[in-house]
Amino acid sequence: MLKSVEQYYSEKIKRFGASPAGVDWNGEASQKQRFFQLSRILQGTGPFRVGDLGCGYGAMLGFLKDLNYDVDYTGIDISAEMVRTATELWPKDATTRFEIGSKFSETMEYTLASGIFNVRGETPDAIWTEYFYDTIMHLNDVSEKGFAFNCLTVFSDPPRMQAKLFYADPCDVFRFCKTNCARNVALMHDYDLYEFTLLVR
């Protein structure tokens, strides 16, 4: 199922390089808005062990560094092209690593996931929904202090919705996280993008 997603994003990064378009976003402003919403899970400026699932070329790392967060960062992506680009862009040191994969192999204090649920291609909605909730539980299992993720919303304008994309009901996702993950869950749906962000502490 994820092979088609890997091919989709690998083609994007090959075509557009280390840019928002290279990870299928429409601009830097919206990308930073997403990162800001996700970063609200972090309490203080660190030091933290942070995992970034679907890291792309490491733009989240750049965002955190620009805001002077002190992070021991692990970025994971299913696309080898993304990981190759990230390792070329960011110098190797003891606090930065990029890996090919779809799951974390060790626990982190915080984990983040931006945009990884959006493109389902031709995968049936029921199968993608199962993957969606399984991945949320994986983030829950490997996060010691909390995790944050975003997803396209069913409250998008119908003319703008696309069949290849996955849209979730934020109320259902909030209930799932409250029931299965933690007591402290925040739903952010008050920013001008067709998505929502969940913070689970």
Side-chain angles (χ1 to χ4, degrees), residues 183-195:
R183 293 175 61 188
N184 297 324
V185 179
L187 168 62
M188 259 63 70
H189 208 325
D190 61 344
Y191 55 105
D192 290 331
L193 298 175
Y194 291 98
E195 63 177 46

Side-chain angles (χ1 to χ4, degrees), residues 7-137:
Q7 292 173 341
Y8 179 89
Y9 282 103
S10 290
E11 290 170 2
K12 291 291 182 180
I13 195 71
K14 287 178 182 178
R15 181 177 179 185
F16 298 107
S19 67
V23 287
D24 206 31
W25 295 126
N26 59 13
E28 185 177 357
S30 63
Q31 185 183 52
K32 287 186 174 180
Q33 174 70 289
R34 293 181 177 93
F35 291 166
F36 169 74
Q37 298 298 334
L38 293 166
S39 70
R40 294 170 70 174
I41 193 66
L42 304 176
Q43 296 180 305
T45 56
F48 308 122
R49 284 178 292 111
V50 174
D52 184 5
L53 187 60
C55 64
Y57 60 88
M60 172 64 82
L61 175 61
F63 176 84
L64 296 176
K65 285 184 176 293
D66 285 347
L67 295 180
N68 295 316
Y69 281 96
D70 182 4
V71 295
D72 185 306
Y73 173 94
T74 299
I76 294 182
D77 203 284
I78 60 174
S79 167
E81 284 294 325
M82 289 289 185
V83 172
R84 181 186 63 78
T85 302
T87 54
E88 291 176 353
L89 186 63
W90 298 100
K92 288 186 177 181
D93 59 39
T95 62
T96 303
R97 65 202 63 83
F98 293 94
E99 303 171 1
I100 301 170
S102 59
K103 290 185 176 181
F104 294 103
S105 59
E106 58 183 343
T107 60
M108 305 285 169
E109 288 177 274
Y110 296 100
T111 58
L112 312 170
S114 180
I116 67 170
F117 302 120
N118 294 355
V119 180
R120 65 180 175 89
E122 297 183 0
T123 302
D125 192 67
I127 294 175
W128 193 262
T129 300
E130 182 178 359
Y131 158 72
F132 172 63
Y133 285 115
D134 284 348
T135 303
I136 292 173
M137 290 308 299

Side-chain angles (χ1 to χ4, degrees), residues 120-184:
R120 65 180 175 89
E122 297 183 0
T123 302
D125 192 67
I127 294 175
W128 193 262
T129 300
E130 182 178 359
Y131 158 72
F132 172 63
Y133 285 115
D134 284 348
T135 303
I136 292 173
M137 290 308 299
H138 170 66
L139 296 175
N140 180 68
D141 291 342
V142 300
S143 304
E144 296 171 358
K145 293 184 177 180
F147 63 95
F149 63 92
N150 53 32
C151 185
L152 297 174
T153 177
V154 294
F155 295 104
S156 300
D157 295 341
R160 293 178 174 268
M161 298 174 78
Q162 301 179 45
K164 72 175 183 179
L165 302 180
F166 173 74
Y167 302 85
D169 186 321
C171 302
D172 290 346
V173 182
F174 176 84
R175 181 183 297 275
F176 177 88
C177 291
K178 283 283 286 186
T179 302
N180 296 284
C181 301
R183 293 175 61 188
N184 297 324

